[in-house]
Amino acid sequence: MKIERIRLIPVMIPRRTGIDNRHVIVRLDAAGDWTGWGEMSDLSHLPLYQMDLANLEGALNDLLVGMDARVIGPVEALMERAYTVEGHKYSRSGLVRQGIDLALHDLQARRAGIPLHVLLGGALRDRFKVCYPIFRMRSQAEIAPNLERIAEMARRGFDLIRVYVGANVEEDLRFLEAFGERFGDSIGIKSIDFSNLLDWRRSLAATERYAELADWMLIESPAPEEDYGGLAEFRRRSRWPVSEHVNHLWHGWQLLHGGCVDILNVSPYVLGGLRPCLRAIALAEAAHASVLIGTTQELNLGTAGVTHLGAVARVLDYPADNTGPELYTADVVREPLRYEGGHLLVPDGAGLGVEVDETLLNERRTGLASTFGTDLVGMLDRTSASERGDNLS
Ligand code: LMR
Ligand code: MG
């Protein structure tokens, strides 16, 4: 089953939080009229440049056309040579590899007429718990809309959030206090996420103050990126488990070997698809560490990939972050993935289990220019300048 053609379709989808995000949908055609779909999820992050999609599409076709679509391992090895690990959570090369990896998995499972989780060895669970993100607040103006968002998500069955913190500790405290007063114990907090903004001692000091107002399951990224020593210092003093994104397999090993984390945050968008994620999960298993599945906020195709990963993961101890389909206001698939009682349900259709609607895809088709412009705070925090009150003098 030879790969015949790869097409890259950029789309723009608005979020409920008032920002727009760019993604690239990948269409991979193979001999016998088989098609697999993948996604390069969420290109709206720093660094502030985009891929040249015409060039990328040409290169992917030059590299992969004529290869056997069934042998994902050799394709992956070639892709890793051409799109080298860049060691960064928002590296473009990981997204390129993810797009091809997902499309090949989708194609192969479709051809076999089975859900992807069966191809991956079989589901160990039919759903897993997820949490909804509350993005980092820098001004008081952002607190009320976030509380409304939580109330709205609660009406739709979500009872767990995660909160990005650390840019303005006083606003974080105001938010946590208002959150506690309004929701009591009805909504839980999975994590507070420092996103590598602060050194470990500042994160610890902030954590001690937050803890007077709220509780949570774990703490994410409380030291600068690659500060293994700092992360380990934080962890030694923390009564909550500590989690960090795995940027590549060696990074995951460093995090575990250095005693830096209790939990590996594993994501196909960073690691480059499902295969490297399964290896990272095996690494955690070998170290008796825990796993959670992270997100960049994928659309339905990308989230479906994660859903099959979560279904087959031998280690999965904490709620996952994958609520992209609930965060975006539109998508390119016919039927979105289903959430029930704050759980993401594992789909049972063939392949990824979601069907691309080409009319919707064409409607959402766009260029790749960033909608954030040069709003660096917005790009970092995923917030809109108007909600932050930046336009109010
Ligand atoms: C998002 O796009 O909302 C996430 O990738 C944010 C983040 O930095 O984790
Ligand atoms: Mg993202």
Side-chain angles (χ1 to χ4, degrees):
M1 192 181 37
K2 287 203 159 69
I3 298 175
E4 290 183 336
R5 183 171 176 191
I6 293 153
R7 275 174 269 187
L8 304 180
I9 305 121
V11 296
M12 192 277 279
I13 315 268
R15 291 186 183 183
R16 290 175 198 277
T17 51
I19 62 165
D20 299 328
N21 280 66
R22 310 276 155 160
H23 311 261
V24 174
I25 304 301
V26 178
R27 174 178 177 153
L28 190 149
D29 296 318
D33 262 347
W34 291 103
T35 294
W37 295 91
E39 178 182 304
M40 301 175 187
S41 316
D42 192 2
L43 290 135
S44 314
H45 278 281
L46 296 168
L48 197 51
Y49 61 83
Q50 292 298 351
M51 305 185 288
D52 175 340
L53 274 199
N55 174 282
L56 178 62
E57 190 179 77
L60 288 171
N61 277 282
D62 288 348
L63 264 181
L64 302 180
V65 166
M67 284 189 82
D68 186 342
R70 294 171 308 178
V71 294
I72 304 184
V75 173
E76 183 194 21
L78 185 62
M79 287 294 292
E80 276 175 349
R81 284 177 58 206
Y83 301 95
T84 329
V85 169
E86 289 169 333
H88 181 255
K89 192 157 74 239
Y90 299 118
S91 105
R92 307 289 182 227
S93 82
L95 289 177
V96 173
R97 280 180 275 115
Q98 176 203 16
I100 298 297
D101 169 282
L102 289 181
L104 286 174
H105 278 102
D106 184 45
L107 179 95
Q108 216 176 114
R110 270 176 200 285
R111 186 163 173 271
I114 53 176
L116 179 52
H117 58 79
V118 174
L119 187 76
L120 296 177
L124 299 172
R125 50 190 78 77
D126 68 358
R127 66 193 60 206
F128 49 89
K129 187 85 182 173
V130 294
C131 61
Y132 189 79
I134 297 303
F135 292 103
R136 185 165 290 111
M137 286 156 275
R138 292 178 191 248
S139 69
Q140 199 161 356
E142 295 172 282
I143 295 178
N146 275 333
L147 296 172
E148 282 317 307
R149 238 162 242 139
I150 296 168
E152 162 66 12
M153 291 308 289
R155 284 192 285 277
R156 285 151 59 196
F158 293 86
D159 58 4
L160 194 61
I161 60 167
R162 62 193 170 97
V163 188
Y164 288 94
V165 295
N168 184 336
V169 173
E170 301 309 320
E171 294 309 335
D172 296 337
L173 290 166
R174 263 194 269 272
F175 167 79
L176 291 173
E177 187 167 20
F179 169 79
E181 278 168 11
R182 174 139 176 205
F183 298 104
D185 291 333
S186 67
I187 307 283
I189 302 180
K190 182 214 107 194
S191 56
I192 52 170
D193 187 343
F194 286 93
S195 300
N196 314 106
L197 285 180
L198 303 180
D199 63 72
W200 71 267
R201 206 183 283 283
R202 286 193 172 90
S203 294
L204 192 67
T207 301
E208 281 164 7
R209 296 186 66 197
Y210 303 150
E212 289 171 18
L213 296 168
D215 197 15
W216 44 79
M217 299 166 86
L218 62 105
I219 299 179
E220 186 86 31
S221 307
E225 226 167 318
E226 290 182 50
D227 179 6
Y228 301 106
L231 201 50
E233 289 290 345
F234 182 96
R235 178 173 173 247
R236 258 176 236 125
R237 291 162 175 80
S238 170
R239 62 189 157 100
W240 296 274
V242 173
S243 161
E244 183 55 276
H245 290 264
V246 184
N247 293 340
H248 47 88
L249 212 54
W250 163 250
H251 180 233
W253 186 84
Q254 296 269 78
L255 291 171
L256 294 169
H257 179 70
C260 310
V261 296
D262 301 279
I263 306 161
L264 295 185
N265 178 328
V266 173
S267 280
Y269 85 92
V270 187
L271 291 169
L274 303 177
R275 288 174 56 85
C277 285
L278 289 167
R279 294 195 289 277
I281 293 171
L283 192 64
E285 183 179 5
H288 299 298
S290 298
V291 170
L292 71 83
I293 301 184
T295 191
T296 186
Q297 303 305 346
E298 297 81 2
L299 296 175
N300 271 279
L301 278 166
T303 307
V306 160
T307 307
H308 292 279
L309 178 69
V312 305
R314 281 169 53 94
V315 186
L316 190 68
D317 312 282
Y318 289 94
D321 296 340
N322 313 94
T323 47
E326 294 287 320
L327 187 63
Y328 293 107
T329 57
D331 209 292
V332 301
V333 299
R334 238 162 261 154
E335 290 288 328
L337 293 162
R338 287 175 48 220
Y339 291 87
E340 228 177 74
H343 288 77
L344 175 54
L345 307 192
V346 179
D348 258 328
L352 285 170
V354 287
E355 302 298 325
V356 171
D357 180 325
E358 301 210 35
T359 311
L360 291 178
L361 183 57
N362 276 324
E363 280 170 20
R364 295 290 161 182
R365 201 182 173 112
T366 180
L368 264 191
S370 166
T371 42
F372 287 90
T374 50
D375 172 13
L376 299 188
V377 169
M379 286 198 86
L380 197 68
D381 291 354
R382 329 308 290 159
T383 51
S384 69
S386 59
E387 198 163 286
R388 290 200 305 271
D390 289 12
N391 56 351
L392 313 168
S393 53

